[in-house]
């Protein structure tokens, strides 16, 4: 089974993202992380500085990625075409 670290690594490679891009994506959902902390997530699992990525960082990254790729969701316009009795 893939860990959250593996998923983040694979997405980083597949989308050609740099660490600065990932920090920017996380900032879109008000999640701040330092370059050093992000680097610890991308280390090999046998490295002494390795940190396991929790569900929160993966969830925030995926939510930020939606905004990064599509833009922010605009407020839906109220439907004024309905008949009100």
């Amino acid at each position: 089974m893939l860990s959250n670290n593996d998923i983040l690594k694979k997405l980083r490679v597949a989308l050609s993202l740099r660490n600065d891009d990932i920090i920017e994506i996380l900032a879109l959902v008000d999640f701040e992380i330092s370059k050093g902390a992000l680097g610890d997530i991308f280390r090999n699992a046998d490295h002494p500085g390795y940190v396991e990525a929790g569900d929160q960082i993966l969830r925030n990254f995926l939510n930020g990625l939606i905004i990064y790729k599509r833009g922010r969701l605009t407020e839906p316009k109220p439907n004024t075409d309905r008949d009100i009795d």
Side-chain angles (χ1 to χ4, degrees):
M1 187 165 117
L2 290 175
S3 69
N4 290 344
N5 296 58
D6 294 333
I7 294 169
L8 287 168
K9 287 177 189 177
K10 289 183 180 296
L11 286 170
R12 179 178 67 169
V13 171
L15 299 171
S16 301
L17 298 172
R18 298 177 327 228
N19 285 357
D20 291 335
D21 297 327
I22 294 172
I23 291 170
E24 178 185 342
I25 289 168
L26 289 168
L28 292 172
V29 290
D30 299 324
F31 187 90
E32 293 185 21
I33 189 168
S34 68
K35 284 185 181 184
L38 188 60
D40 291 342
I41 289 171
F42 291 128
R43 293 184 189 278
N44 289 330
D46 59 349
H47 190 280
Y50 172 81
V51 174
E52 203 169 300
D55 293 339
Q56 182 182 18
I57 191 165
L58 181 59
R59 179 179 58 248
N60 281 304
F61 174 74
L62 293 173
N63 287 333
L65 187 61
I66 292 168
I67 296 169
Y68 184 76
K69 290 293 187 182
R70 289 196 228 167
R72 293 204 179 268
L73 179 66
T74 58
E75 291 294 322
K77 295 180 183 174
N79 188 355
T80 57
D81 295 336
R82 294 186 298 162
D83 291 331
I84 300 175
D85 292 328

